[in-house]
Amino acid sequence: MKRYSVTILGMGPRGLSVLERIAALAGSRQLLLDINLVEPGECGPGAHAVRQPQHLLINTVASQVTMFPTAGAVQLAPVCATPSLTAWARQSGYRRVGDSYYRLSGTGSGAGAGAAITESDYLPRSLLGEYLAWAYQQVVAALPAGVTLTHHRL
């Protein structure tokens, strides 16, 4: 069987989307594939660095942000779990306390504190960065056998 090679330049949200679709295709066709990622920083977050102040918000309502295609919108199903940003934040235990967001659920005395994240919240860019990093890890973990991945920090 022939081995293929693909290179993705930039591993922010768009590069991550391309990687997920390539993973789905490689799995469905049992391709032998070498994937090269060219990204000077961490893969996934792109401009949404995790270490940004919380007052820098994304410009989209959190419930409309997802890194995964909607069921039925694409021919090949996603390769891993597909929560939206809102669902992921809730599952991760994030809660709103005043104007800030903290991981509080399941942390002992802080469990249940703060307000639940709603569908209409504008979440911090740093939280989006965490979600994108998580999504990258999920996609990489789901890569099928026969696929290699190399991250080039150029």
Side-chain angles (χ1 to χ4, degrees):
M1 183 176 235
K2 184 177 178 182
R3 186 159 199 89
Y4 296 92
S5 179
V6 64
T7 300
I8 303 173
L9 301 175
M11 275 306 299
R14 290 179 197 223
L16 180 55
S17 293
V18 170
L19 176 63
E20 191 280 326
R21 292 290 76 210
I22 289 172
L25 180 65
S28 74
R29 297 199 181 162
Q30 299 176 335
L31 295 175
L32 298 176
L33 183 61
D34 297 319
I35 302 174
N36 295 287
L37 308 177
V38 179
E39 170 59 52
E42 295 305 313
C43 292
H48 307 286
V50 174
R51 294 182 180 244
Q52 293 184 50
Q54 282 210 5
H55 70 272
L56 298 176
L57 305 178
I58 60 175
N59 61 358
T60 303
V61 189
S63 62
Q64 296 179 358
V65 177
T66 184
M67 275 314 305
F68 305 101
T70 304
V74 291
Q75 183 178 9
L76 302 172
V79 297
C80 59
T82 61
S84 67
L85 173 59
T86 303
W88 172 86
R90 289 175 182 157
Q91 292 167 7
S92 298
Y94 277 97
R95 312 264 306 165
R96 184 171 28 84
V97 178
D99 290 334
S100 297
Y101 295 83
Y102 300 99
R103 228 181 216 142
L104 296 175
S105 295
T107 59
S109 63
I117 292 176
T118 70
E119 300 293 317
S120 59
D121 280 342
Y122 286 86
L123 296 177
R125 292 169 60 97
S126 60
L127 199 63
L128 175 57
E130 283 187 52
Y131 170 70
L132 296 170
W134 173 86
Y136 171 76
Q137 292 169 355
Q138 298 304 301
V139 171
V140 169
L143 287 172
V147 175
T148 65
L149 183 78
T150 306
H151 178 190
H152 301 278
R153 293 180 180 267
L154 302 176

